[in-house]
Structures are given as structure tokens and as C-alpha cells.
């Protein structure tokens, strides 16, 4: 299962969300977007995130 690590919290994500996040990071690198809101679940709680360029994100396949 793909995972996204943001600020030290690991979220299990779908393959679709994984690919979309990979595209988002590429857009950040190209300077085409300034941020995105995302809701993910961790330990049964919903986390509302606003991800901006430079945010500490790790994608794990």
C-alpha cells in the first residue's frame, strides 16, 4: 500500500492519491502551484492538510 509521510505522520493512501500527489510535487518544483488542501485519515481521525512548496513530504511506494 502506498504511503505519504507529512510532518512525521504516515498516511496510507490509494494508488490514485499517490499518483496525484506525485504530480502535485512536480508542479511545485516547476513553480506552477502555490498549495493544495488535502484530507487524509490517520488512526481513524481525519486530518485536513494544506500542503505548500517546501513542505516535508515523502512518498513511499
Amino acid at each position: 500500500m502506498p504511503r505519504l509521510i507529512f510532518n512525521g505522520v504516515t498516511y496510507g493512501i490509494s494508488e490514485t492519491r499517490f499518483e496525484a500527489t506525485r504530480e502535485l510535487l512536480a508542479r511545485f518544483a516547476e513553480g506552477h502551484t502555490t498549495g493544495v488542501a488535502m484530507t487524509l485519515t490517520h488512526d481513524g481521525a481525519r486530518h485536513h492538510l494544506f500542503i505548500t512548496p517546501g513542505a516535508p513530504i515523502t512518498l513511499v511506494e
Side-chain angles (χ1 to χ4, degrees):
M1 173 184 224
R3 293 171 287 150
L4 179 147
I5 303 169
F6 179 73
N7 282 339
V9 179
T10 301
Y11 301 92
I13 58 175
S14 68
E15 189 65 38
T16 302
R17 174 79 48 114
F18 181 86
E19 292 302 326
T21 303
R22 184 186 306 224
E23 277 185 38
L24 171 68
L25 296 177
R27 291 181 61 82
F28 281 162
E30 296 165 357
H32 294 298
T33 190
T34 58
V36 66
M38 185 182 295
T39 300
L40 298 173
T41 303
H42 175 72
D43 288 339
R46 295 181 111 197
H47 295 226
H48 303 289
L49 313 174
F50 188 71
I51 300 172
T52 58
I57 297 173
T58 303
L59 292 174
V60 180
E61 290 189 82

